[in-house]
Amino acid sequence: MSTSTLPQLTPKDFASDQDVRWCPGCGDYSILAQAKKILPEVGIPREKIVFVSGIGCSSRFPYYVNSYGFHSIHGRATAIATGVKVANPELQVWVVTGDGDGLSIGGNHLLHLIRRNLDINILLFNNRIYGLTKGQYSPTSELGKKTKSTPYGSVDNPLHPLSVAIGAEATFVARTLDVNVKHLSETLLRAAKHKGTSFVEIYQNCNVFNDGAWEYATSRETKDDTTIFLEHGKPLIFGKNRDKGIRLKNMEPEVVQLGGDIKEDDLIFHDEKAVEPSLAFMLSRMRYPEFPEPMGVFRSVDAPVFEDMVHDQMRQITEKQGKGDLEKLLNSGDTWVVS
Amino acid sequence: MICPACKIDNIEGVDECDSCGEPLTQEVPATLASELEDSAAMTALSDVASPAPVKVAPTATVSEVVDRLIAASASCVLVVGPDGCLMGIVSERDLLYKVADRYEQLKSSPIHEFMTPDPETLKPDATVAWALNRMDVGGFRHIPIVENSRPQGVVAVRDLLAHLSRHYMPAGS
């Protein structure tokens, strides 16, 4: 008897026949290329992968991946993805959203997907601007930001996506950058393999409407001192010469110089498996210029996933009460005829 | 070589784009961005800006600045301190709004009293598209090009218009 094996897919198999319509030089190209690169490694056939997006530049993503896709409505990708996953848990579901679509228009739906812990991968492209509508301030735009909709500078406190995700107790939380393609692909792969909601914030440059928003974190001259790469079980060390670290002082993080009295053992050791999310939340609040901004996996814990629980419950109730009758349900209780 | 996807220039011979990771060893469908879009998003200001801006000291008088503007057919001057760092900009609009009706009275006053201090600046590698956005948001027509606090040039809306009009191809042409 012969055994059939699935053909090994390549990144090219995930390229669609659609022309990519992002601005030349946009950071989205990098994220698309890395997604296509890791999808074959995930080992799920194309017909079992769905990309769901809302509205915005990032939300054109499903057109460019040769899988199932849904370019849906503004801010509602998370709600639609929830329905897709619950209806068919065998699908691998990705949500592609931006800082405006995901945190403003869709902020509410995002929280509920995360707290329910559906096995869905959320990629939030954060460029700190509304790019598709030509440069209005977004929920992640910094205080004082001058844009077409804030000509005298924004007075809104920005949201910090990872703080929001950890606040809703996301089981997998990570941050990466569009220009660090190796770290980006590793992070996407880990997100894909996590069972439960994976939330990945990607620092993405909009070279037309918010150029250089992440320059401090990406420039060769500054990035070693402005970012810190998290490794599970390792101390928080950073700097061009890897001579600086983060330690706790009175429950607050502080930057310290290694050497002299301060040893590596005095520093915070990263624990992405910590069930209590406080350490991850503290890391998400470390922001430039006071702190180096953490990159990598903040949190990766196991927890029951929503769709499994929904289907288990349905199975148990069906065993007890028999299969339901939708027609009967619709006509039960108070019904009336509109003439 | 130029990545056909993101348009970043890569070292010759690399297998994949250093910026976006797109494979460079196989034929990649060309982007559909128009020449106008490409040129706006990828052209550096150093290629379009005036490399020799008119520079004056903060102590230069209003009448000296006006004379320099006329002589150079320029529409702004950069005010540069003794250390070579940019202090401000004086555009035709500054002179019109702050000086014009009192020219005789103010022509001997130092120009730093009328300049726009600490103007928004861009680096030489900033793009045409980004400069257009900043002019649109800020409502100004000149942006000094600065590297390490030293002015390297100035880009005027006229420079951008000239660049874009050279790359503009009406649909169907």
Side-chain angles (χ1 to χ4, degrees):
Chain A
M1 196 174 84
S2 67
T3 54
S4 62
T5 53
L6 284 171
Q8 179 60 45
L9 298 173
T10 67
K12 209 174 171 184
D13 294 315
F14 284 93
S16 79
D17 60 356
Q18 299 295 300
D19 296 309
V20 184
R21 287 285 192 175
W22 289 316
C23 301
C26 176
D28 290 2
Y29 285 100
S30 165
I31 306 169
L32 175 64
Q34 296 316 307
K36 287 190 291 192
K37 190 173 169 186
I38 63 108
L39 284 171
E41 291 182 57
V42 176
I44 294 176
R46 286 180 299 187
E47 63 273 19
K48 290 201 172 171
I49 297 174
V50 187
F51 279 84
V52 185
S53 66
I55 296 295
C57 295
S58 61
S59 291
R60 297 192 61 76
F61 205 90
Y63 294 124
Y64 310 140
V65 182
N66 189 5
S67 69
Y68 283 104
F70 199 152
H71 186 187
S72 72
I73 44 179
H74 215 347
R76 273 61 185 172
T78 39
I80 290 166
T82 299
V84 170
K85 187 68 181 178
V86 172
N88 190 349
E90 280 193 14
L91 298 175
Q92 184 183 59
V93 181
W94 295 75
V95 168
V96 180
T97 186
D99 41 307
D101 182 65
L103 295 170
S104 180
I105 300 94
N108 182 20
H109 296 290
L110 178 75
L111 292 179
H112 297 294
L113 191 160
I114 293 173
R115 76 179 173 87
R116 288 176 175 139
N117 195 36
L118 285 115
D119 187 14
I120 289 175
N121 310 307
I122 304 170
L123 307 182
L124 188 137
F125 297 15
N126 186 2
N127 57 18
R128 311 187 92 174
I129 201 81
Y130 283 91
L132 191 71
T133 49
K134 317 290 181 228
Q136 295 79 19
Y137 80 123
S138 85
T140 58
S141 295
E142 55 274 36
L143 270 172
K145 180 89 178 172
K146 285 186 182 174
T147 70
K148 285 177 195 169
S149 55
T150 51
Y152 303 109
S154 167
V155 290
D156 290 15
N157 270 316
L159 273 178
H160 296 278
L162 296 193
S163 295
V164 172
I166 295 165
E169 300 195 28
T171 52
F172 182 94
V173 179
R175 180 189 283 145
T176 184
L177 311 104
D178 57 1
V179 293
N180 188 338
V181 292
K182 187 168 178 286
H183 189 261
L184 174 58
S185 64
E186 288 168 359
T187 307
L188 295 184
L189 190 58
R190 282 206 57 190
K193 289 183 171 174
H194 175 73
K195 175 85 170 165
T197 302
S198 304
F199 184 91
V200 182
E201 177 189 18
I202 305 169
Y203 282 5
Q204 176 246 323
N205 191 41
C206 171
N207 58 323
V208 173
F209 294 107
N210 201 17
D211 196 25
W214 305 114
E215 195 178 4
Y216 64 87
T218 57
S219 136
R220 283 194 175 91
E221 289 76 42
T222 57
K223 64 182 180 182
D224 291 331
D225 292 312
T226 59
T227 58
I228 184 166
F229 282 81
L230 303 173
E231 289 180 83
H232 179 60
K234 300 272 179 68
L236 299 186
I237 297 176
F238 69 105
K240 210 163 264 177
N241 303 316
R242 294 195 57 76
D243 57 354
K244 288 183 274 188
I246 306 291
R247 77 171 175 188
L248 265 186
K249 186 183 180 189
N250 300 327
M251 300 301 287
E252 298 279 347
E254 68 168 351
V255 175
V256 290
Q257 190 73 38
L258 283 169
D261 291 343
I262 301 176
K263 308 277 186 300
E264 280 189 21
D265 283 348
D266 299 322
L267 304 178
I268 299 171
F269 279 66
H270 182 48
D271 181 6
E272 65 183 34
K273 302 286 180 196
V275 176
E276 169 60 41
S278 302
L279 172 68
F281 188 75
M282 185 198 78
L283 293 172
S284 77
R285 293 185 56 77
M286 283 174 39
R287 290 160 202 154
Y288 173 80
E290 289 81 14
F291 291 100
E293 294 190 347
M295 299 290 153
V297 178
F298 287 55
R299 187 162 199 252
S300 178
V301 296
D302 296 328
V305 297
F306 181 77
E307 61 271 23
D308 288 352
M309 291 190 288
V310 167
H311 285 273
D312 282 349
Q313 189 179 58
M314 283 165 57
R315 205 163 23 247
Q316 286 169 21
I317 301 298
T318 305
E319 280 170 12
K320 280 186 192 164
Q321 300 180 8
K323 205 173 174 198
D325 183 335
L326 185 61
E327 188 69 23
K328 205 170 149 187
L329 177 69
L330 287 174
N331 288 293
S332 63
D334 291 333
T335 61
W336 61 93
V337 176
V338 178
S339 58
Chain B
M1 68 184 293
I2 304 288
C3 171
C6 73
K7 301 294 176 75
I8 296 297
D9 198 2
N10 288 274
I11 301 164
E12 220 41 65
V14 294
D15 290 342
E16 61 180 35
C17 175
D18 186 41
S19 173
C20 75
E22 191 73 35
L24 299 176
T25 52
Q26 60 195 45
E27 197 178 321
V28 182
T31 175
L32 272 191
S34 68
E35 190 189 340
L36 185 71
E37 289 171 310
D38 273 0
S39 70
M42 303 310 293
T43 305
L45 293 182
S46 53
D47 292 338
V48 299
S50 161
V54 181
K55 296 185 218 173
V56 298
T59 51
T61 64
V62 168
S63 64
E64 285 168 352
V65 168
V66 170
D67 290 345
R68 293 285 305 276
L69 281 172
I70 293 168
S73 293
S75 48
C76 73
V77 297
L78 302 184
V79 181
V80 178
D83 56 358
C85 294
L86 181 71
M87 292 177 65
I89 186 170
V90 180
S91 68
E92 291 167 325
R93 192 186 294 179
D94 287 315
L95 295 172
L96 186 66
Y97 283 101
K98 299 172 188 169
V99 176
D101 59 347
R102 296 183 292 156
Y103 180 73
E104 284 304 319
Q105 183 190 336
L106 299 175
K107 65 183 182 185
S108 301
S109 302
I111 197 64
H112 70 81
E113 293 179 10
F114 307 99
M115 70 183 183
T116 299
D118 302 321
E120 183 162 341
T121 64
L122 291 173
K123 289 182 180 175
D125 60 356
T127 62
V128 165
W130 182 230
L132 279 169
N133 175 272
R134 298 325 297 160
M135 287 183 182
D136 186 16
V137 169
F140 37 74
R141 291 174 290 181
H142 303 89
I143 303 179
I145 311 298
V146 170
E147 185 96 86
N148 300 322
S149 303
R150 305 286 199 280
Q152 308 290 315
V154 65
V155 64
V157 70
R158 189 185 298 180
D159 300 320
L160 302 182
L161 190 60
H163 174 79
L164 294 176
S165 65
R166 279 195 291 276
H167 292 271
Y168 176 65
M169 298 283 280
S173 64

